[in-house]
Amino acid sequence: MTLLDNGQTVIRHLRNPARTRDTLVVTFAEMLMNDPSAAGFGEKFFLKAGYDLVIVQKRSESWYQDLKVAEFRDSVSGIAAQYRDVACYGISMGAFAALYFGGSIDASILALSPLCSIHPRFPQLGAQEYRAQLTATQCDLADAPKSEKPVFIVFDPRVHLDALYMREEIIPAFPDATIALAPGAGHPVSRCLNGMGLLGPLVLDFVQDRRTPNIAAALRPKRANSPFWLANLADRCARRSRFDTALSLCDKAIGLASDPAFFAAKRDAVVRRQAVALAQ
């Protein structure tokens, strides 16, 4: 059932005929998910796990600037009241949206690598093309309504821009949030965690039981066999001019990957960086 379609953002309620859970999950589309006729973010995963869903989708990279908090609340709160509990979940842009809108329906919030790349106070986040197209009026998380329920945020502190955004924007706005570090997982952390088999359990642990695991400890025994973790480490080595180590790590990532093309491109980037360094 469509709850809202304002021409840019679409909000739909999905009733699961095989529902076994009394928590409603609200998910927000991440970057590159710009087709509201397609399945929503996390839709298949949560339906399989027995949940009803509200999926928030978009038609372009908007960072949900078109969607007012009151508009979201009025569209979703009546449905949310039919459930024992509500949880909002998103990744990167979607994680920003979960933090921005989740408090208006008093939801618990799971935010993985939250980032609002068009925030006027953080020009170093880039996204110049989108900044030129959008009027950024809903970026300050300090202005967002706050939930009484738990907020759990996971990010990689080794990603400089993520760490900056966490330190200067998110932590001041959500001082009581539980924050878990995923060192070396990159942005977004979900890719690495999923490849390690950690993402699904993390999400369900929080949505079902509000458990907030030690992600860094869970990463440690698995990272040496994670192509994403190895590629992220290779990138850091290359930035320190440790090119032989970086290339070796890329080769290992390629050997471990089921789809090596992404990691081969990472290796090519290291080779180009090395060539530039040698030419100087």
Side-chain angles (χ1 to χ4, degrees), residues 97-108:
L99 291 168
Y100 196 89
F101 295 102
S104 70
I105 55 172
D106 199 31
S108 59

Side-chain angles (χ1 to χ4, degrees), residues 42-251:
E43 178 177 332
K44 295 178 182 178
F45 174 80
F46 284 110
L47 290 177
K48 184 177 180 180
Y51 289 90
D52 281 2
L53 284 166
V54 165
I55 55 173
V56 185
Q57 297 174 284
K58 54 191 171 60
R59 291 186 168 92
S60 63
E61 309 300 7
S62 63
W63 281 267
Y64 300 95
Q65 296 301 293
D66 59 289
L67 181 64
K68 304 305 179 186
V69 169
E71 190 177 26
F72 171 81
R73 182 189 62 236
D74 293 346
S75 299
V76 176
S77 59
I79 295 293
Q82 301 173 20
Y83 297 83
R84 179 186 61 83
D85 205 358
V86 185
C88 288
Y89 171 46
I91 292 171
S92 193
M93 183 195 304
F96 157 75
L99 291 168
Y100 196 89
F101 295 102
S104 70
I105 55 172
D106 199 31
S108 59
I109 300 169
L110 175 59
L112 305 185
S113 300
L115 197 65
C116 182
S117 300
I118 60 167
H119 198 303
R121 285 197 293 110
F122 299 96
Q124 57 270 64
L125 296 179
Q128 298 305 324
E129 175 186 353
Y130 301 112
R131 290 174 187 267
Q133 297 171 1
L134 296 168
T135 301
T137 59
Q138 297 188 139
C139 295
D140 288 333
L141 288 170
D143 298 337
K146 302 302 185 293
S147 176
E148 296 294 325
K149 305 288 178 57
V151 175
F152 186 34
I153 302 168
V154 185
F155 80 106
D156 180 356
R158 294 176 181 168
V159 178
H160 170 69
L161 294 178
D162 284 30
L164 170 72
Y165 185 69
M166 284 292 302
R167 182 175 65 251
E168 297 191 10
E169 175 69 7
I170 293 182
I171 292 174
F174 292 89
D176 297 325
T178 299
I179 297 173
L181 305 182
H187 182 98
V189 296
S190 53
R191 291 187 304 187
C192 188
L193 295 179
N194 188 49
M196 292 178 173
L198 298 174
L199 180 61
L202 160 67
V203 171
L204 293 180
D205 278 352
F206 181 78
V207 169
Q208 291 174 5
D209 303 314
R210 304 299 182 262
R211 282 186 285 172
T212 54
N214 184 331
I215 302 300
L219 278 172
R220 206 166 292 122
K222 295 176 177 287
R223 60 191 183 185
N225 292 310
S226 165
F228 281 107
W229 190 88
L230 292 167
N232 293 333
L233 179 57
D235 182 63
R236 294 197 301 277
C237 288
R239 282 189 268 116
R240 293 174 173 83
S241 299
R242 296 170 56 192
F243 297 112
D244 289 344
T245 301
L247 291 171
S248 177
L249 289 165
C250 286
D251 289 339

Side-chain angles (χ1 to χ4, degrees), residues 13-34:
H13 180 219
L14 303 180
R15 293 194 182 274
N16 186 350
R19 174 185 158 196
T20 58
R21 304 288 180 176
D22 55 2
T23 294
L24 175 69
V25 180
V26 182
T27 70
F28 295 84
E30 61 179 319
M31 200 162 192
L32 303 180
M33 295 187 70
N34 296 324

